[in-house]
């Protein structure tokens, strides 16, 4: 038996197997205990080989892994919120790098171009376009949530709301 087994990985989006745009992959799926490990820095990360398993023989499974994770755009957006929040929970303050708006635009534009053009996402038709747009949106939302957390904007918002509520209560008592 091998230490690691791979299989084709098909990610389905709105009922279609995505074959381009970096979505089709061959992944390590089954492995001997201790051979692979998640780094636990992100909700969406790949497995890495551990010490002593770097040169392990790898077998190929005959079947494929079919990943039906996005039946709707709403579900995708829900996942964006879930994954980005989990990633922010793990992030230490030194990893929260706020970049200027123009860099967010450049970064997201390059990301879209890479996924849709360079990795041929256009070959998946409208599904490929929508997937590239949503994945780009994910990049933008991550940057905005980093800014929000680094600047303490939620607390600022809540404090402002509480002050307004307090002032409204005081004014209504006086009348």
């Amino acid at each position: 038996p091998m230490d690691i087994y791979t299989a084709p990985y098909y990610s389905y989006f709105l009922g279609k197997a995505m074959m381009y745009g970096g979505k089709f992959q061959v992944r390590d799926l089954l492995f001997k205990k201790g051979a692979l490990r998640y780094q636990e820095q992100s909700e969406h990360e790949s497995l890495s080989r551990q010490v002593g398993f770097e040169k392990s023989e790898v077998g190929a499974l005959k079947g494929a892994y079919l990943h039906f994770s996005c039946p709707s755009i709403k579900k995708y957006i829900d996942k964006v919120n879930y994954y980005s929040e989990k990633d922010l929970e793990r992030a230490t303050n030194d990893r929260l790098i706020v970049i200027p708006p123009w860099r967010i635009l450049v970064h997201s534009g390059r990301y879209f171009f890479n996924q849709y053009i360079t990795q041929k996402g256009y070959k998946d038709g409208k599904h490929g376009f929508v997937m590239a747009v949503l994945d780009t949106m994910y990049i933008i939302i991550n940057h905005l949530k980093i800014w929000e957390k680094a600047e303490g904007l939620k607390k600022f918002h809540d404090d402002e709301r509480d002050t307004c509520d307090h002032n409204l209560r005081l004014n209504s008592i006086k009348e």
Side-chain angles (χ1 to χ4, degrees):
M2 307 288 183
D3 291 332
I4 302 167
Y5 289 90
T6 63
Y9 175 91
Y10 294 93
S11 184
Y12 280 76
F13 176 68
L14 301 178
K16 177 180 173 50
M18 305 302 287
M19 300 303 295
Y20 299 95
K23 298 301 174 188
F24 173 77
Q25 303 165 2
V26 173
R27 287 192 175 180
D28 297 332
L29 292 178
L30 297 174
F31 50 92
K32 183 178 183 177
K33 184 176 180 179
L36 301 174
R37 182 163 197 227
Y38 289 107
Q39 299 303 312
E40 298 180 18
Q41 294 175 351
S42 171
E43 276 303 297
H44 248 140
E45 61 187 26
S46 56
L47 292 161
S48 59
R49 300 233 171 125
Q50 297 302 292
V51 175
F53 291 94
E54 301 90 350
K55 297 180 182 177
S56 292
E57 289 190 50
V58 177
L61 298 173
K62 291 181 182 176
Y65 181 82
L66 308 178
H67 189 56
F68 292 93
S69 68
C70 287
S72 68
I73 292 171
K74 181 203 177 308
K75 184 72 171 177
Y76 182 93
I77 293 169
D78 291 344
K79 287 178 143 207
V80 165
N81 276 320
Y82 173 80
Y83 288 126
S84 61
E85 290 298 320
K86 289 296 183 186
D87 286 345
L88 272 176
E89 285 173 14
R90 282 192 187 96
T92 56
N93 285 341
D94 62 318
R95 293 191 63 202
L96 295 177
I97 300 169
V98 178
I99 64 174
W102 69 268
R103 285 195 52 203
I104 294 172
L105 284 173
V106 169
H107 181 218
S108 58
R110 284 183 180 155
Y111 189 91
F112 177 85
F113 185 86
N114 181 53
Q115 185 172 332
Y116 191 66
I117 304 298
T118 307
Q119 295 184 12
K120 302 178 183 175
Y122 61 85
K123 287 190 171 187
D124 282 322
K126 191 174 277 186
H127 285 76
F129 175 77
V130 173
M131 184 89 264
V133 167
L134 291 173
D135 283 353
T136 301
M137 181 187 78
Y138 180 73
I139 297 296
I140 294 168
I141 288 171
N142 267 342
H143 284 299
L144 297 178
K145 284 186 175 187
I146 288 169
W147 167 68
E148 176 187 47
K149 183 176 181 178
E151 299 287 328
L153 297 177
K154 182 176 183 326
K155 182 179 179 342
F156 176 75
H157 176 88
D158 292 346
D159 290 348
E160 285 294 307
R161 183 199 58 225
D162 293 346
T163 300
C164 287
D165 287 348
H166 177 74
N167 290 338
L168 285 171
R169 280 192 297 275
L170 285 177
N171 287 335
S172 67
I173 291 171
K174 288 178 185 177
E175 295 175 358

